[in-house]
Amino acid sequence: CRQNQNNTFKPTISDNNTLKLLPLGNIEDQQVKAVFLQLKKIHPSVQLLPAVPLPAFAYYKPRNRYRADTIIQWLRSQAGKNESFIAITAADISTTKGNIKDFGIMGLGYQPGRACVASLFRLKNKNNLYKVAIHELGHNAGLPHCPQKTCYLRDAEGKDPTGEEIAFCGSCTAYLKNRGWKL
């Protein structure tokens, strides 16, 4: 899932930009470590932070979910000049989508942006959390959804397509490499 941001921020990955991986709530260490190790392959400076509780102010009681947009705003407020954040969680997260006030999602990242969140909650195969994470980081880098059905940047369309995704397509790969990703 993505939300457009109307600004001129052009995010790039560089040696002086730190990506901070923040586990939120009760997420298994093996899931955190797997995402961390995958992110280290594409980013020169990934820092794994200690897990923290999900922020109470992001809790949406009527649906027993956490608002992803509120989590992202909180993460952005924590980010320094050369930092960006990705939070990962096992909790149910949501955002407003069209006329649906509280739409359940696997992840959310602003396009472009400096913070995103990915969740295990809706994944059929929990080992695919990394795919959701890099999808949202791709939005942060400025990419929209991709029409290629095997690309990590495809639109989930309310389902879990991560089992069909195999890599970034050629166009998305070129765009991300131009921004410093090591793909």
Side-chain angles (χ1 to χ4, degrees), residues 112-140:
R114 292 182 41 202
C116 57
V117 60
S119 171
L120 285 167
F121 189 82
R122 288 184 162 66
L123 286 174
K124 294 174 192 162
N125 180 343
K126 304 304 182 194
N127 293 325
N128 287 338
L129 181 59
Y130 169 68
K131 293 180 180 183
V132 178
I134 60 172
H135 173 105
E136 302 310 337
L137 287 169
H139 287 321
N140 280 179

Side-chain angles (χ1 to χ4, degrees), residues 13-49:
I13 292 178
S14 66
D15 292 331
N16 64 355
N17 183 18
T18 302
L19 175 61
K20 295 189 170 193
L21 174 60
L22 178 65
L24 292 178
N26 296 326
I27 183 167
E28 293 181 17
D29 288 340
Q30 72 180 41
Q31 292 292 340
V32 173
K33 187 172 184 174
V35 172
F36 175 70
L37 292 174
Q38 291 291 332
L39 291 177
K40 284 187 72 67
K41 292 178 183 178
I42 64 168
H43 196 289
S45 180
V46 181
Q47 181 182 9
L48 177 57
L49 301 175

Side-chain angles (χ1 to χ4, degrees), residues 142-158:
L143 279 171
H145 283 132
C146 179
Q148 299 287 330
K149 295 300 181 190
T150 58
C151 181
Y152 293 144
L153 255 294
R154 75 177 282 182
D155 189 341
E157 299 174 342

